[in-house]
Amino acid sequence: MATEKKTRIVLIGTGAVGSSYAFALLNNNLADELVLIDVNEKKAEGDAIDLNHGLPFSAPMKIWKGDYADCRDADLVVITAGSNQAPGETRLDLLQKNIGIFKTIVSNVMENGFNGIFVIATNPVDVLTYATWKFSGLPHDRVIGSGTILDTARFRFLLGQHFNVDPRNVHAYIIGEHGDTELAVWSKADIGGRPVLDLFKKEGGDHAAKMDQIFTDVRDAAYQIINLKGATYYGIAMGLVRLTRAILRNENSILTVSTLANGSYGLDDVCIGLPAVVNRQGIREIIELDLDEKEKALLAKSADVLKNSLKNVANYF
Ligand code: NAD
């Protein structure tokens, strides 16, 4: 009897984000095998033991501290390794520290015969998604950054709270850099088929100020959380599980991931957060929204900032 191929996820980086993702995976029954890799081998081993003790409460999964040879049979390699933001530091400030780490990690993964899909969460995620595409030599549709999935989730949560509606019924996107130049696509946001702009106008009062406040709270959420507890990890862990499910279950889900904008939105040669259809092949297509003029200008500006960051590390490519 032929044995079915096991679904394997290799997670590289078992810090706050990585271990939260591993824990969330354990609760979602999405893969048969989970391999943990970290330069801090003790942390990876401790997490593997700890997570295994959760198995009697969840569903069968093989979890172990592994090494790069385990990437050969992986469907997904998820990278959450590298430095995180210190209070006051921007995501782009992390680039010089993390690009060298990525060169080593991605080379190790590829040298071991990996031929699956990369998911990147380390910051600055857009630049490191581009770097992973370059370093790996894989088709760009198989290198996916978490992009603005978390920012979009924060936006939907805050709009849901404002209008007292389940955030799952809020259709609204944050696009652009996962960082200070991201933007809200207000012109296309709707709740239950009703444009969010109309809902704000109907509410009366200074709706522009309310919208500004919501956007600012979304954009600066990471700074607020880092000031309060040093790092953010649960929200992104859930976002990474959502992305994992879209890929492994071939869901054709629309998520605002970081992907190579190969001519879409008039942008070229940059990875940036855009709504895209995600399935078992990776990125099926980018959804081109009919942005208004202000949104178009903000997106172009955000892409310029990312391109400038790429120039600062051009010696790596
Ligand atoms: P952390 O310091 O808790 O964990 C990082 C881990 O990476 C550590 O365990 C470290 O040992 C490991 N590591 C470092 N170099 C390595 C290498 N060469 N090989 C293997 N492992 C290595 O940091 P964190 O809070 O988990 O954050 C990780 C990254 O995720 C940061 O860049 C952070 O900014 C980013 N992040 C992204 C989002 C998002 O929305 N994309 C959200 C939150 C955090």
Side-chain angles (χ1 to χ4, degrees):
M1 200 174 70
T3 47
E4 248 184 72
K5 189 194 169 304
K6 306 257 189 245
T7 311
R8 177 181 296 180
I9 300 173
V10 173
L11 168 65
I12 305 178
T14 59
V17 174
S19 57
S20 303
Y21 168 66
F23 180 64
L25 266 183
L26 191 62
N27 288 291
N28 277 274
N29 196 17
L30 285 175
D32 302 305
E33 299 177 339
L34 174 63
V35 183
L36 308 178
I37 298 178
D38 198 293
V39 275
N40 181 348
E41 293 194 29
K42 283 186 172 173
K43 175 70 165 83
E45 187 167 4
D47 273 336
I49 297 169
D50 198 359
L51 290 163
N52 270 311
H53 296 166
L55 286 176
F57 307 111
S58 64
M61 179 151 81
K62 202 175 160 208
I63 306 169
W64 70 97
K65 170 195 152 306
D67 55 42
Y68 283 95
D70 292 313
C71 295
R72 198 172 63 88
D73 296 322
D75 298 275
L76 231 57
V77 165
V78 179
I79 311 183
T80 60
S83 292
N84 60 8
Q85 290 164 269
E89 214 173 15
T90 73
R91 294 175 179 95
L92 289 174
D93 289 337
L94 299 173
L95 181 53
Q96 295 299 339
K97 294 184 212 168
N98 286 341
I99 187 125
I101 293 177
F102 261 60
K103 176 117 183 119
T104 311
I105 290 176
V106 176
S107 304
N108 284 337
V109 171
M110 297 312 293
E111 277 163 17
N112 280 281
F114 176 62
N115 195 25
I117 294 175
F118 272 108
V119 169
I120 311 302
T122 307
N123 279 316
V125 69
D126 301 289
V127 183
L128 293 175
T129 301
Y130 183 93
T132 302
W133 169 55
K134 285 284 185 188
F135 295 154
S136 68
L138 286 175
H140 63 80
D141 45 6
R142 286 207 266 139
V143 181
I144 307 176
S146 57
T148 46
I149 53 172
L150 178 57
D151 316 79
T152 289
R154 288 169 174 157
F155 192 38
R156 292 172 61 191
F157 166 73
L158 289 176
L159 285 171
Q161 215 180 30
H162 184 86
F163 291 108
N164 195 20
V165 170
D166 183 339
R168 293 172 301 177
N169 297 122
V170 177
H171 290 279
Y173 299 130
I174 299 287
I175 62 171
E177 176 202 358
H178 169 56
D180 298 343
T181 65
E182 66 190 27
L183 60 132
V185 187
W186 288 111
S187 68
K188 293 287 169 290
D190 80 76
I191 296 178
R194 294 176 302 170
V196 165
L197 289 174
D198 290 354
L199 294 176
F200 271 113
K201 279 183 199 149
K202 218 163 135 188
E203 216 179 52
D206 189 351
H207 61 270
K210 290 184 209 164
M211 288 164 61
D212 273 354
Q213 189 59 53
I214 287 177
F215 174 67
T216 306
D217 288 348
V218 168
R219 188 196 54 204
D220 297 345
Y223 295 111
Q224 186 196 8
I225 299 168
I226 288 166
N227 278 333
L228 288 167
K229 63 168 197 166
T232 85
Y233 34 89
Y234 298 132
I236 184 59
M238 298 284 286
L240 290 172
V241 167
R242 177 71 191 88
L243 183 51
T244 300
R245 186 184 305 115
I247 298 168
L248 295 179
R249 297 258 166 93
N250 198 27
E251 286 187 341
N252 292 302
S253 300
I254 298 174
L255 298 166
T256 49
V257 287
S258 188
T259 181
L260 188 75
N262 223 355
S264 305
Y265 292 89
L267 306 175
D268 237 328
D269 206 33
V270 67
C271 286
I272 189 162
L274 295 170
V277 180
V278 180
N279 66 20
R280 192 62 188 83
Q281 310 309 314
I283 305 281
R284 191 187 82 191
E285 64 185 285
I286 291 172
I287 306 284
E288 284 235 29
L289 299 169
D290 186 16
L291 301 179
D292 69 22
E293 292 308 314
K294 189 178 168 205
E295 291 160 355
K296 276 184 201 161
L298 287 171
L299 181 61
K301 201 175 128 211
S302 190
D304 280 349
V305 166
L306 290 173
K307 281 196 161 191
N308 274 332
S309 286
L310 281 168
K311 275 189 203 144
N312 293 337
V313 288
N315 55 317
Y316 278 92
F317 306 129

